[in-house]
């Protein structure tokens, strides 16, 4: 479903509290939370605001509009939805209990040891937190191993996480 220009303008204006005509890092995070229903990672925000030379830039409405309108074709939409289902506390990252709760809701036969191994595999920084980026990479990897399936149902019904 396409995002209307009016909705984008309303969200932009709401997040541009100082009415400066630009969104900074914090403003953009809030705008994306309102628009997509998830808190983007630092990496995602950095990618959107990086000027190519390692400097952070501010985002004007025209740039916001073109990026957010293009997001309707986001191939990771399903992964983002799954992440939001796991991230019930809206923290922008997952911990073991989040993953355990989600797995047990769809596949109660999976042991805590298997779930913990999956979490450890996803968590590249070994900080106990699974970022959206780490989660998305794991889901893409799982999807590659379930090529004959239209969605991720098989992923949740198997005993193998990310082998």
């Amino acid at each position: 479903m396409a995002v209307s220009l009016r909705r984008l303008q309303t969200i932009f204006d709401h997040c541009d509290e100082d009415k400066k005509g630009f969104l900074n890092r914090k403003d953009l995070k809030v705008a994306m939370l309102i628009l997509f229903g998830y808190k983007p990672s630092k990496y995602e925000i950095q990618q959107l605001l990086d000027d190519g030379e390692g400097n952070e830039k501010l985002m004007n409405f025209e740039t916001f509009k073109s990026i957010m309108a293009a997001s309707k074709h986001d191939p990771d939409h399903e992964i983002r939805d799954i992440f939001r289902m796991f991230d019930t506390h809206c923290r922008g990252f997952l911990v073991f209990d989040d993953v355990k709760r989600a797995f047990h809701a769809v596949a109660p036969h999976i042991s805590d040891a298997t779930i913990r191994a999956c979490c450890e595999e996803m968590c590249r920084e070994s900080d106990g937190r699974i970022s959206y980026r780490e989660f998305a990479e794991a889901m893409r990897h799982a999807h590659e191993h379930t090529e004959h399936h239209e969605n991720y149902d098989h992923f949740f019904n198997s005993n193998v996480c990310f082998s």
Side-chain angles (χ1 to χ4, degrees), residues 1 9-10 13 39 45 52-53 66 88 124 133 147 163:
M1 182 172 133
Q9 185 69 58
T10 301
D13 292 343
K39 181 180 172 187
I45 296 295
E53 296 178 13
S66 63
T88 58
R124 300 282 183 219
R133 182 175 48 95
E147 296 172 359
S163 58

Side-chain angles (χ1 to χ4, degrees), residues 86 94-100 103 111-131 134-135 137-138 141 155 161-163:
F86 279 51
L94 305 174
V95 295
F96 172 75
D97 288 338
D98 298 325
V99 178
K100 178 180 172 181
F103 269 72
S111 71
D112 285 1
T114 300
I115 296 169
R116 189 169 304 284
C118 290
C119 288
E120 289 171 0
E121 180 70 24
M122 282 190 283
C123 186
R124 300 282 183 219
E125 296 179 15
S126 299
D127 61 357
R129 296 178 173 188
I130 302 163
S131 69
E134 292 167 329
F135 181 83
E137 287 173 9
H141 180 78
F155 168 76
C161 288
F162 309 104
S163 58

